[in-house]
């Protein structure tokens, strides 16, 4: 039998009383693509962090090409030709692609940018990357930045590549380009490990799939011999129905009217141009677009967090039947009008939650102004925290655990749970299932559908087009700050939306 490019034997890792990995056995062969699946908190990232030198195992052994190695730092990992491409890019914006790729490499010779550019072009030609080595990072799209990250590890001679959620922010067309590149790397003998939650990608790309559950190794199967239902059962430990029940809208009423809104960022760059659409109660309006196309600014403008150059935002108040103009009002003023906007921001720890505070205190952030005495009332927030933990299956030692100690997926559950508990009439969610496993994702989809049935107007910014098509009633596509189309989710296709995402001129009207 062939020798594994990398083999893990009985790997264990603990953080205090929490066992992140318990006796993990895993192998990846040369010229193979292995997918790593598991729910949030199952130990996938911890395991990969030990291979890439960020953590060191408490027990167990790591073998490279049959020989035991000790990886104590990322520098050691590079020595053994291991490179990890993280979900959050680590690039210097003002440097070019070539400068970022060559940054940090030790050499006795003086740095030669011309030679670095030639070497980068050679790697691009070999695997089919499309990148301009002289282009600055701040001028690049998300897929170009990801390409630079992959080129960084290849430039350092990596033969074993680990990719964490590589298609999370890519269009279907960009994802297919990435897959073509990965297949060429596989043909070249590279070993590739992909952490992903998109089962259709697992089945189309990988040779084998390894599954972790609650820190335990469940097993490895050949991709050609499995299916989505079997993989989900391995991940969760029980059968899950992989269908999103799209219910019909219940007596839809126009709740939000967005009229000709324009806004610029602090640098004076136009982020939104002549945006027009309506959001109805009892409907889910999806928003699709390449990352950075204006989705964030649009939701922030409605929530009172973004200054508008021009335009109007009307909220049709169900309490008094009046159309209230929300433009340039603060979030507090919007709330005092009786408008209940709940906003789950893209940057969950930066804007949504305070990492050093526990779950109870984060629940109190919405209600502390209501206090009528000098002393903070903690009973209701504690009850809410315990309800969110129970309903959304948050993996945590308890409600007094600091949020920063939770995995990314569990942080997301706390945030979504808190916002929905505010009983909004308009609920805006940006990437609410980013980083969530399939079971947790379906919990969120079901909650959104429940809110829709209660007559809430939902605006859902998503990155998985399959989900947008299954969950939403309409999909608004945004490109370069303009609406490029509004489609009926029941009849639209992924390809149609993907093409609209790459258009830059507007022209669509109301939804």
């Amino acid at each position: 039998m062939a020798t594994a490019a990398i083999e893990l034997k009985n790997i264990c890792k603990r953080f205090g009383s929490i066992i992140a990995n318990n006796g993990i056995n895993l192998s990846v062969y040369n010229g193979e693509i292995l997918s790593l699946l598991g729910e949030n908190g199952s130990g996938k990232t911890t395991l990969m962090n030990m291979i890439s030198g960020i953590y060191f195992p408490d027990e167990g052994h790591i073998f490279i090409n049959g020989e035991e190695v000790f990886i104590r730092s990322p520098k050691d990992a590079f020595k053994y030709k291991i490179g990890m491409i993280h979900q959050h890019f680590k690039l210097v914006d003002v440097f070019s692609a070539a400068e970022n790729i060559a940054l940090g490499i030790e050499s006795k010779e003086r740095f030669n940018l011309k030679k670095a550019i030639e070497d980068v072009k050679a790697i691009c030609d070999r695997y089919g990357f499309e990148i301009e080595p002289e282009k600055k990072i701040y001028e690049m799209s998300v897929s170009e930045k990801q390409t630079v990250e992959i080129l960084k590890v290849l430039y350092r001679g990596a033969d074993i590549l680990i990719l964490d959620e590589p298609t999370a922010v890519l269009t279907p067309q960009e994802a297919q380009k990435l897959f073509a590149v990965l297949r060429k790397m596989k043909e070249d003998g590279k070993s590739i490990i992909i952490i992903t939650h998109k089962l259709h990608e697992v089945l189309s790309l990988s040779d084998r799939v390894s599954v972790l559950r609650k820190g335990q190794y469940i097993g490895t199967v050949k991709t050609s011999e499995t299916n989505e239902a079997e993989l989900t059962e391995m991940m969760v430990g029980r059968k899950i129905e992989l269908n999103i029940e799209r219910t019909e809208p219940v007596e839809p009423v126009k709740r939000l009217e967005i009229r000709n809104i324009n806004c610029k960022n602090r640098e004076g760059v136009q982020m939104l141009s002549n945006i027009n659409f309506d959001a109805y109660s009892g409907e889910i309006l999806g928003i699709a677009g390449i990352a950075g196309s204006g989705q964030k600014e649009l939701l922030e403008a409605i929530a009172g967090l973004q200054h508008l150059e021009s335009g109007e935002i009307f909220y049709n108040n169900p309490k008094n039947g009046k159309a209230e103009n929300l433009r340039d009002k603060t979030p507090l003023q919007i709330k005092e009008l009786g408008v209940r906007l709940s906003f789950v921001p893209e940057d969950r720890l930066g804007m949504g939650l305070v990492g050093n505070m526990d779950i109870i205190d984060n629940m109190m952030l919405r209600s502390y102004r209501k206090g009528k005495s000098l002393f903070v009332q903690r009973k209701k927030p504690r009850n809410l925290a315990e309800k969110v933990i129970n309903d959304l299956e948050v993996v945590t030692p308890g409600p007094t655990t600091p949020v920063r100690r939770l995995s990314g997926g569990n942080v997301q559950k706390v945030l979504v749970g808190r916002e929905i508990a505010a009983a909004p009439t308009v609920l805006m969610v940006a990437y609410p299932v980013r980083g969530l496993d399939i079971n947790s994702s379906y919990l969120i989809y079901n909650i959104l559908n429940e809110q829709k049935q209660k007559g809430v107007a939902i605006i859902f910014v998503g990155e998985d087009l399959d989900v947008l098509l299954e969950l939403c009633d309409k999909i608004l596509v945004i490109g370069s700050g303009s609406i490029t189309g509004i489609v009926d989710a029941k009849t639209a296709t992924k390809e149609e939306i993907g093409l609209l995402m790459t258009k830059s001129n507007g022209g669509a009207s109301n939804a």
Side-chain angles (χ1 to χ4, degrees), residues 244 277 279 283-289 295 298-299 342 344 412 416 426-434 436 441 444-449 457-477:
I244 299 172
F277 70 91
E283 280 191 359
I284 300 179
L285 173 66
I287 297 183
Q295 304 95 312
L298 177 57
L299 266 59
S342 279
V344 181
Q412 192 77 324
V416 172
V426 176
L427 175 64
M428 299 188 293
V429 287
Y431 312 109
V433 299
R434 176 178 284 174
L436 292 188
S441 298
I444 300 295
Y445 302 148
N446 289 335
I447 286 170
L448 293 176
N449 264 325
I458 298 170
I459 299 176
F460 177 95
V461 178
E463 55 204 2
D464 189 326
L465 295 189
D466 290 294
V467 170
L468 282 166
L469 288 167
E470 283 187 60
L471 179 68
C472 302
D473 298 290
K474 297 171 189 163
I475 299 172
L476 180 156
V477 187

Side-chain angles (χ1 to χ4, degrees), residues 347-365:
D347 181 5
R348 50 202 175 205
L349 274 181
M351 286 177 64
L353 299 169
V354 179
N356 287 328
M357 289 168 60
D358 65 25
I359 300 174
I360 297 171
D361 288 343
N362 271 288
M363 295 296 159
M364 289 170 63
L365 290 177

Side-chain angles (χ1 to χ4, degrees), residues 24-39:
I24 305 292
N25 295 286
L26 204 67
S27 61
V28 188
Y29 294 92
N30 292 310
E32 178 182 52
I33 299 176
L34 178 82
S35 289
L36 187 60
L37 286 179
E39 291 189 276

